[in-house]
Amino acid sequence: MSVQRLRTEKRFSEIVIHNGTVYLAGQLAENLDGDIVAQTQETLASVDQFLAEAGTDKSKVLSVTVYVKDMDAHYAGMNQVYDAWVAEGCAPARACVEAKMYDPRVLVEMTVIAAL
């Protein structure tokens, strides 16, 4: 069984495909000046782009882990955008946790597992 790695960097691959499963490394907004809504929209647009590059789409997402900087301040805004993004009838398993981000401007990051 081969492992296909796309967008490979020195320390990680942004997309890994193995045995019919797609794994996306932590996705986040390019523009870190936006609020939680803007960052979540941009993050999910990136997820859509990477899923398409891997040959799948959001209807085949199995699991999403959402990391938010401040659960009290950011959960509602993130969740509003996320709920609108999820494909109807295809809601993936999801965990949402508060996390210390690598940059204080990062408000949300997501890792995704999907089927091909």
Side-chain angles (χ1 to χ4, degrees):
M1 294 180 205
S2 67
V3 176
Q4 184 179 5
R5 300 178 191 278
L6 306 175
R7 296 181 174 253
T8 302
E9 302 296 331
K10 184 175 181 179
R11 293 176 288 121
F12 69 96
S13 298
E14 291 184 305
I15 304 169
V16 175
I17 303 168
H18 176 66
N19 202 23
T21 305
V22 177
Y23 304 88
L24 300 185
Q27 301 298 304
L28 47 93
E30 291 287 324
N31 178 5
L32 300 179
D33 295 326
D35 64 7
I36 188 63
V37 169
Q39 284 195 28
T40 303
Q41 289 169 333
E42 193 173 328
T43 299
L44 289 170
S46 178
V47 167
D48 284 335
Q49 175 189 339
F50 280 39
L51 289 172
E53 190 173 327
T56 191
D57 61 48
K58 67 183 176 182
S59 72
K60 295 186 179 159
V61 172
L62 303 171
S63 176
V64 178
T65 303
V66 181
Y67 305 92
V68 294
K69 180 178 179 178
D70 182 328
M71 193 68 77
D72 292 333
H74 301 133
Y75 180 80
M78 176 282 302
N79 206 46
Q80 174 186 349
V81 175
Y82 180 89
D83 283 352
W85 173 81
V86 170
E88 189 170 334
C90 301
R94 184 180 95 177
C96 186
V97 298
E98 188 172 273
K100 183 173 182 178
M101 304 299 194
Y102 82 98
D103 182 311
R105 298 173 300 155
V106 175
L107 304 179
V108 63
E109 183 175 348
M110 297 181 191
T111 59
V112 178
I113 300 171
L116 279 178

